[in-house]
Amino acid sequence: MVDELGKFYEERAHEKFPTSDNPENDAVNRRALKALELQPGQRLLDFGCSDGYFTSRLAQACPGLEAYGVDLVSHAHWRKLPSITFVAGDFPIPFPDGYFDAVFSSQVLEHLPDPALAISELSRVVKRGGRMWIATPNSYDDTWSVFHGLQHYIDKVEFHFRHFSAQELRLMFATYGCEVVNVNYDLFAGLWLYYKMVSYNPRLKKRLLKVVAPEIAAGSCRAGTSSAPNAGSSIPKTIAFAVLRALRKFDEMFSKSPLCQVIEVTVIKK
């Protein structure tokens, strides 16, 4: 199964556009920073770091942070980020017990055939009092049924094994001496439209990128970095980002509603 997953994600990495700055990623970064309460000198693990975009942003937001990224497959650009250590590999996570002060993991647990093993490993490598911020697809039982069609499609495209409820996450983390201290939700109707109409509409997405972010569409913007210096000045990009911010602002009114598509939990190791 590991070999099959590795092959799938190697191919998926080549299909995807590099992660870049946009209002949606800004919001993820902001919420994670608030939850993790990072301090200079601490060690951070980005579990399932993909192309290292969020590893880099979190490290840049807290100078002096010692950041590590772990993913099942390696990404060619990792060597371009000398201030961060990236490791490719399977379980066990190649770090000693209690090594990290904080763990960030966004949209990862759903990709794993054994999420309990991942949670046990995260709980092992974080120190007592350490904080974790975990985001993953919300349970189908809780999510508004209107969203189920898109969710099933994303599950198939991204090779998701399952979704999680707040109660399931509380119980899974509690098994390994951790406590879920805060639960929030994300992606309601506004961003459902965005993901349905743009993110998971390959043809439209490619056309829009040629106008909004040609440096990414052309492949000249490396994964894990910000957009090219002059890219943010374009009028189409300004308009597109303004629309995305408005959709996000609307959805944030539902951050405590389990009808949303994503669940985010803050966890502390006891």
Side-chain angles (χ1 to χ4, degrees), residues 169-222:
L169 291 172
R170 285 192 181 97
L171 291 173
M172 292 174 79
F173 277 104
T175 300
Y176 301 101
C178 300
E179 180 183 359
V180 173
V181 296
N182 189 46
V183 178
N184 284 313
Y185 296 91
D186 193 34
L187 303 189
F188 193 60
L191 289 164
W192 170 76
L193 286 173
Y194 167 73
Y195 280 100
K196 185 177 180 65
M197 301 300 294
V198 179
S199 286
Y200 285 93
N201 184 333
R203 290 184 179 179
L204 178 58
K205 183 176 182 178
K206 191 170 184 179
R207 288 177 183 174
L208 287 175
L209 278 174
K210 287 181 179 179
V211 177
V212 174
E215 75 286 351
I216 295 177
S220 62
C221 180
R222 290 186 177 275

Side-chain angles (χ1 to χ4, degrees), residues 12-266:
R12 191 76 178 112
H14 290 295
E15 293 173 358
K16 283 188 167 185
F17 291 106
T19 312
S20 60
D21 295 342
N22 62 53
E24 181 62 4
N25 289 335
D26 291 347
V28 171
N29 190 63
R30 182 174 64 252
R31 294 195 301 274
L33 285 170
K34 181 179 179 181
L36 293 175
E37 300 179 356
L38 299 174
Q39 301 293 326
Q42 289 186 331
R43 292 193 186 107
L44 167 73
L45 172 65
D46 181 353
F47 176 70
C49 64
S50 185
D51 60 19
Y53 172 82
F54 284 109
T55 327
S56 178
R57 286 205 60 176
L58 292 167
Q60 290 169 358
C62 186
L65 188 72
E66 192 176 335
Y68 296 79
V70 172
D71 202 87
L72 181 62
V73 299
S74 63
H75 294 256
H77 84 282
W78 281 356
R79 62 183 181 274
K80 302 297 182 181
L81 300 169
S83 62
I84 303 171
T85 301
F86 288 104
V87 179
D90 193 17
F91 297 113
I93 299 173
F95 296 98
D97 296 358
Y99 192 73
F100 294 100
D101 300 278
V103 173
F104 168 91
S105 185
S106 180
Q107 307 301 321
V108 177
L109 289 184
E110 67 274 14
H111 293 273
L112 304 176
D114 189 354
L117 174 60
I119 289 174
S120 71
E121 278 292 282
L122 295 180
S123 302
R124 177 183 67 79
V125 299
V126 73
K127 63 178 59 174
R128 292 190 182 277
R131 302 175 73 87
M132 294 183 266
W133 186 83
I134 311 293
T136 191
N138 191 22
S139 167
Y140 276 109
D141 290 339
D142 293 331
T143 307
W144 190 18
S145 61
V146 171
F147 304 145
H148 288 180
L150 177 61
Q151 287 182 303
H152 283 300
Y153 176 73
I154 294 174
D155 288 345
K156 182 178 179 180
V157 170
E158 302 291 358
F159 210 147
H160 293 174
F161 284 94
R162 57 167 297 179
H163 293 200
F164 300 85
S165 69
Q167 183 61 14
E168 287 173 321
L169 291 172
R170 285 192 181 97
L171 291 173
M172 292 174 79
F173 277 104
T175 300
Y176 301 101
C178 300
E179 180 183 359
V180 173
V181 296
N182 189 46
V183 178
N184 284 313
Y185 296 91
D186 193 34
L187 303 189
F188 193 60
L191 289 164
W192 170 76
L193 286 173
Y194 167 73
Y195 280 100
K196 185 177 180 65
M197 301 300 294
V198 179
S199 286
Y200 285 93
N201 184 333
R203 290 184 179 179
L204 178 58
K205 183 176 182 178
K206 191 170 184 179
R207 288 177 183 174
L208 287 175
L209 278 174
K210 287 181 179 179
V211 177
V212 174
E215 75 286 351
I216 295 177
S220 62
C221 180
R222 290 186 177 275
T225 64
S226 298
S227 301
N230 297 324
S233 61
S234 69
I235 293 175
K237 185 170 188 174
T238 300
I239 294 172
F241 279 19
V243 171
L244 188 52
R245 287 190 190 96
L247 294 175
R248 164 140 296 288
K249 193 70 174 178
F250 174 80
D251 279 9
E252 286 174 355
M253 294 190 293
F254 299 88
S255 64
K256 290 298 181 180
S257 172
L259 295 175
C260 294
Q261 299 162 80
V262 169
I263 182 170
E264 301 171 348
V265 295
T266 304

